Amino acid sequence: MPNAHQVYQRVLQAGRAFLNRPEADDQQIASSLLGLEQAAFKVFTHQVGMTSTKHLRYTVLSLVCLEPPVGPLLREILADGASFAEVHRLLSRYRRRDLELVELQEAVRIGSWRSLLTPGQAQPDWASKPVWIFPANKRARRLEGLNPVIAEALIGRYSKPGALVVDPMAGAGTVVKKALEMGRQAWGSDIAGDGRLVRKMDIAGLVSAIGEEVADLLVLHPPTFAWFVRKVFDPSVHDHPETDYTNWLSQHLERALPVLKPGGRLILIVRPEHKPRRLIRQDGLTRWAFVAPLELLLSEHELEPLHYHLAVSEDGVEDWSIFVGQKP
Ligand SMILES: C[S@@+](CC[C@H](N)C(=O)[O-])C[C@H]1O[C@@H](n2cnc3c(N)ncnc32)[C@H](O)[C@@H]1O
């Protein structure tokens, strides 16, 4: 299925051919199409593979005709992957004066426009409750992404403006974007980074890239246990996926922790398995297999525990266990 931007381009291209005006610019094409007789407009609508003349008129062509300063910004957001509905939602927020032009410009500049689509849905005090029930954002959860509202709550709570926030498993860069929006400095890298906000780098290279004891806040959001079991765990070599996952996390932590300043904070965001499972026997003790090793892991790295948050999305699909510790 073509995305909204591809549809937008196809309409303009087909419009040029339909009107036989190959040299005309986008706005000229759109206003000529909007000026067509009803019957001709219907023919054109079907020609571009659409069924609704209303959709073409009020959703697609109206966007082409939107004047600066907001028009070009919204078209840039469309080109960045937004749907028509999302672009029009931003436009209505802007028209209601619920969204300032500078906010929109800044969000386009740093690529964080998606976060402008969610405000208002959260319960005002959700992050002050013992369990954070946060508003679901289906788009953000792709590839195990962190919901921007969680990133915002954590950065706001555990760092000050001007602080350096480091995220070496930054994925799509949610934490980096939020940190910059909130007046922090930010470093983001990921083994699959695309270089825009997030450099392509294995966590093993973090210390040589940024040095030791530079970060005020280190956010570590590693692949989940479920991902680990699917992609890394090899039953022919390992017995206990949980133990092996914990060791794997421990290695990542060892690689990243030297960048944290003394007194700096670590936020570890994980998704334990909640299914009842086999217990591990170790040193005569029976432990529940997953959470205990993770807690152990933090204590082994000599971090003072500060807080533990459980964050669950309103629709129950996402849950994150968030451990916060401080480097002595
Ligand atoms: C849970 S996702 C992080 C999602 C991110 N917080 C976001 O909101 O988009 C875990 C990330 O760890 C990255 N990763 C896995 N192994 C890595 C390694 N050795 N070094 C750096 N990044 C790694 C993956 O590419 C993935 O993007």
Side-chain angles (χ1 to χ4, degrees):
M1 259 250 304
N3 69 16
H5 187 243
Q6 288 162 335
V7 171
Y8 176 95
Q9 286 180 313
R10 196 173 66 199
V11 165
L12 288 169
Q13 199 184 0
R16 278 195 182 83
F18 187 82
L19 300 164
N20 196 17
R21 295 184 60 192
E23 306 298 331
D25 67 25
D26 292 354
Q27 279 69 26
Q28 290 167 335
I29 293 295
S31 34
S32 302
L33 288 171
L34 288 168
L36 287 173
E37 293 287 327
Q38 214 178 344
F41 192 75
K42 210 167 176 178
V43 170
F44 177 71
T45 307
H46 289 160
Q47 230 178 59
V48 284
M50 290 186 179
T51 45
S52 161
T53 50
K54 271 192 190 158
H55 179 68
L56 179 60
R57 188 179 293 280
Y58 299 111
T59 308
V60 185
L61 294 175
S62 71
L63 192 58
V64 186
C65 296
L66 263 183
E67 301 277 339
V70 73
L73 289 172
L74 291 181
R75 291 191 283 272
E76 211 172 310
I77 288 174
L78 190 79
D80 197 25
S83 65
F84 285 118
E86 286 171 335
V87 168
H88 281 276
R89 210 177 323 148
L90 291 176
L91 179 61
S92 2
R93 285 197 59 205
Y94 173 77
R95 285 186 170 149
R96 285 201 311 266
R97 296 179 181 270
D98 180 23
L99 176 63
E100 297 291 333
L101 182 63
V102 280
E103 247 182 297
L104 195 59
Q105 282 166 330
E106 182 59 6
V108 170
R109 193 179 69 77
I110 63 173
S112 68
W113 53 267
R114 282 196 173 89
S115 65
L116 301 177
L117 293 163
T118 41
Q121 290 177 15
Q123 294 298 315
D125 59 346
W126 63 269
S128 65
K129 300 268 164 72
V131 175
W132 293 357
I133 309 284
F134 61 93
N137 177 342
K138 289 183 188 151
R139 196 181 266 276
R141 73 171 56 131
R142 279 187 308 175
L143 300 173
E144 303 194 331
L146 194 65
N147 191 308
V149 297
I150 298 290
E152 186 171 353
L154 291 170
I155 294 164
R157 199 174 271 244
Y158 296 113
S159 71
K160 296 203 166 79
L164 175 62
V165 178
V166 172
D167 182 351
M169 293 182 139
T174 322
V175 168
V176 179
K177 276 184 221 158
K178 261 298 159 209
L180 294 172
E181 275 171 33
M182 294 169 77
R184 275 65 169 170
Q185 304 170 67
W187 162 277
S189 50
D190 191 288
I191 201 160
D194 66 5
R196 238 174 103 223
L197 270 178
V198 179
R199 287 165 206 239
K200 189 176 179 64
M201 204 186 77
D202 191 300
I203 197 169
L206 184 66
V207 175
S208 22
I210 64 171
E212 293 194 2
E213 301 191 351
V214 289
D216 300 285
L217 180 64
L218 172 63
V219 177
L220 204 61
H221 184 197
T224 60
F225 178 66
W227 184 92
F228 173 82
V229 169
R230 273 200 319 274
K231 309 264 183 175
V232 181
F233 180 69
D234 178 356
S236 65
V237 183
H238 307 112
D239 291 335
H240 290 298
E242 295 85 359
T243 315
D244 205 52
Y245 179 60
T246 309
N247 291 340
W248 189 68
L249 284 187
S250 186
Q251 267 178 20
H252 292 327
L253 202 54
E254 254 162 46
R255 286 168 171 158
L257 267 182
V259 304
L260 201 54
K261 287 179 184 167
R265 283 144 178 207
L266 165 81
I267 298 179
L268 176 65
I269 307 167
V270 289
R271 175 173 297 154
E273 267 285 279
H274 292 306
K275 284 192 210 126
R277 52 177 54 252
R278 202 150 43 118
L279 299 172
I280 298 176
R281 278 189 189 280
Q282 197 186 15
D283 302 332
L285 291 174
T286 305
R287 300 175 191 280
W288 190 69
F290 194 88
V291 174
L294 269 176
E295 287 161 351
L296 207 64
L297 181 148
L298 285 182
S299 64
E300 276 166 2
H301 286 88
E302 286 173 6
L303 287 158
E304 289 160 15
L306 275 186
H307 283 287
Y308 170 74
H309 306 282
L310 175 62
V312 183
S313 60
E314 268 169 358
D315 60 2
V317 173
E318 287 164 89
D319 61 288
W320 297 112
S321 294
I322 303 169
F323 299 86
V324 186
Q326 183 155 338
K327 194 170 186 177

